[in-house]
Amino acid sequence: MKGSSYKFGSTYVGSKQPSPTEAYPVMIGEMSNEGNLQAQFIHQCTSRFKAKCIAQTQGSKLQSVQIGGDVVFKDSTISFVCADPDLLNGSGMLILHYLQGITPKLAIGSELLYQRGAARQQAIVTVAGRYKTDTWQAAGTLAMGGIHASFYRKANENVQVGVELEASLKNKESVTTFAYQMDLPKMNLMFKGMLTSEWTIGSSLEKRLQPLPITLNLTGTYNIKKDKVAVGIGAMLG
Amino acid sequence: MPETVSQIEGNYEDIEDETFSERLWGLTEMFPEKLRSAASNSTNLSSAAISKLYSFVRSSMWVGTTSFMILIVPVLFEQERFNLEQQQQQHQRQILLGPNAAVSNMQGGIGLAPPPPTK
């Protein structure tokens, strides 16, 4: 059994509100009982540019720093993230994304991941596409080391289903997952189910216990091949 | 004679008598080779098929039952409970306000004047 750990988190949300659902700047901090801190800072500097900075420390030493930003144009987005930059040794990782909308339904993008270590450098290019309609959405990613494809459909107002395939050429393995979600507000119930090609089934039941403001969450996962069961129970106040 | 009759009979006693099943097995030698091999192959095949079918049915029943219980049963439970609650509510309303209230929605609710008669 794993040792228990506690986490203390705090969130600060600023007063600048470009839309009713977002507010900037946002600062999120999370501290674990072993003294590891994770801090995030997100700010919308202008209407086009959003800056993001994430830092992680282990004890008193800085473990990793990520600085990034998003630039939004009329129908395209460029985002970049620079992880662990070390100018003295010339090492670090740079991730560059470019997403372009071609028609209102179709969007294509590409990603460049450039990593430079002590003696080696490596670049990986990935292309991605997404086709979206009112009821369904399909997306795919093609990289040098694997592919990832997904399909999502909203069957009716209560039921949503999705299928996902992830295949990796390096590890020579592929996993297919089928999942569905049933939203029944008149019964205060949300049920999610999942089935994978590695003979794993799982489900989660969330029920709001009226009139108390408590949501009860029951989950169960079963690996049929290895005969392993995991169950969980949780409660959310508010 | 080099051996007496009793010695010859003694030699024969060293050889054991055939058991009952050995005698039965010996009877099969009257059938032709093809028929014997066909019969043995078919019995082996059918016994292997039956044991495989049995283990397949067992494991598929286990997989089906656990998947059904984990993925579908909670929703059915909740739906049944909801329907039962609705029925109980309707029953209570029927008892409290009379049989008409449960069947049709009252216009305006309780406490107001009844709707004017339609001509």
Side-chain angles (χ1 to χ4, degrees):
Chain A
M1 230 168 35
K2 284 193 279 191
S4 55
S5 75
Y6 297 89
K7 282 199 178 144
F8 175 74
S10 70
T11 306
Y12 169 78
V13 177
S15 48
K16 199 160 117 175
Q17 272 192 324
S19 78
T21 52
E22 306 166 1
Y24 291 106
V26 174
M27 290 196 263
I28 304 174
E30 200 176 74
M31 184 105 184
S32 79
N33 67 333
E34 288 149 17
N36 303 340
L37 171 72
Q38 192 199 43
Q40 282 190 34
F41 175 77
I42 308 170
H43 186 50
Q44 182 110 31
C45 301
T46 70
S47 63
R48 278 190 193 284
F49 180 63
K50 177 153 80 161
K52 205 186 224 193
C53 179
I54 304 178
Q56 266 180 331
T57 75
Q58 198 159 20
S60 62
K61 284 193 297 191
L62 189 66
Q63 203 186 19
S64 82
V65 175
Q66 287 182 19
I67 307 175
D70 292 335
V71 188
V72 179
F73 299 111
K74 192 176 68 153
D75 55 0
S76 61
T77 309
I78 299 182
S79 68
F80 65 92
V81 175
C82 186
D84 295 335
D86 194 350
L87 294 165
L88 294 172
N89 298 338
S91 75
M93 184 153 68
L94 176 70
I95 304 175
L96 205 65
H97 289 254
Y98 175 64
L99 295 165
Q100 167 85 43
I102 299 186
T103 73
K105 292 186 179 179
L106 183 65
I108 313 188
S110 71
E111 167 188 331
L112 169 72
L113 194 151
Y114 177 66
Q115 190 174 17
R116 191 171 169 147
R120 55 169 181 77
Q121 48 184 348
Q122 183 190 31
I124 300 178
V125 177
T126 310
V127 289
R130 177 187 80 171
Y131 186 78
K132 183 170 162 160
T133 51
D134 284 333
T135 50
W136 61 270
Q137 181 177 341
T141 301
L142 199 64
M144 295 190 314
I147 63 170
H148 183 178
S150 70
F151 175 78
Y152 161 82
R153 189 190 155 100
K154 198 168 158 76
N156 54 31
E157 65 197 16
N158 290 337
V159 179
Q160 305 170 30
V161 292
V163 192
E164 179 193 55
L165 164 76
E166 183 155 357
S168 160
L169 282 168
K170 256 195 303 180
N171 306 344
K172 290 195 178 31
E173 61 183 21
S174 81
V175 177
T176 308
T177 308
F178 170 76
Y180 61 94
Q181 175 175 328
M182 278 198 248
D183 215 350
L184 299 158
K186 62 182 159 89
M187 287 192 243
N188 293 325
L189 179 75
M190 180 148 85
F191 183 74
K192 299 184 202 165
M194 161 195 86
L195 174 68
T196 72
S197 69
E198 288 178 350
W199 293 93
T200 304
I201 50 182
S203 71
S204 143
L205 179 83
E206 269 179 36
K207 184 147 173 105
R208 191 186 166 89
L209 306 170
Q210 294 280 28
L212 304 164
I214 300 181
T215 305
L216 183 71
N217 188 359
L218 295 166
T219 61
T221 309
Y222 180 49
N223 189 331
I224 301 178
K225 234 189 196 172
K226 297 184 198 166
D227 203 20
K228 276 198 220 169
V229 181
V231 291
I233 180 168
M236 237 174 0
L237 285 166
Chain B
M1 277 196 272
E3 288 174 339
T4 59
V5 175
S6 58
Q7 274 179 327
I8 291 171
E9 276 181 11
N11 287 342
Y12 279 143
E13 275 169 12
D14 293 340
I15 304 169
E16 283 171 2
D17 273 342
E18 279 184 348
T19 63
F20 190 62
S21 51
E22 278 177 356
R23 281 179 169 179
L24 275 177
W25 189 255
L27 279 177
T28 64
E29 287 180 1
M30 74 169 150
F31 297 115
E33 175 69 38
K34 259 196 202 172
L35 184 64
R36 261 189 281 161
S37 64
S40 110
N41 281 346
S42 66
T43 42
N44 289 343
L45 200 66
S46 52
S47 72
I50 287 178
S51 65
K52 269 200 183 159
L53 183 72
Y54 174 67
S55 64
F56 175 71
V57 165
R58 267 181 79 174
S59 62
S60 65
M61 270 189 77
W62 174 251
V63 169
T65 309
T66 52
S67 311
F68 184 71
M69 274 178 65
I70 289 184
L71 296 175
I72 301 177
V73 158
V75 183
L76 294 180
F77 257 14
E78 288 295 319
Q79 275 180 346
E80 282 301 317
R81 228 170 60 109
F82 183 65
N83 289 343
L84 205 68
E85 237 180 74
Q86 292 282 71
Q87 260 188 358
Q88 258 192 355
Q89 267 183 4
Q90 231 189 25
H91 194 65
Q92 264 191 349
R93 254 194 296 169
Q94 199 181 41
I95 289 177
L96 192 60
L97 302 169
N100 291 333
V103 173
S104 64
N105 286 330
M106 279 183 75
Q107 287 183 0
I110 313 163
L112 294 179
T118 55
K119 273 205 177 155

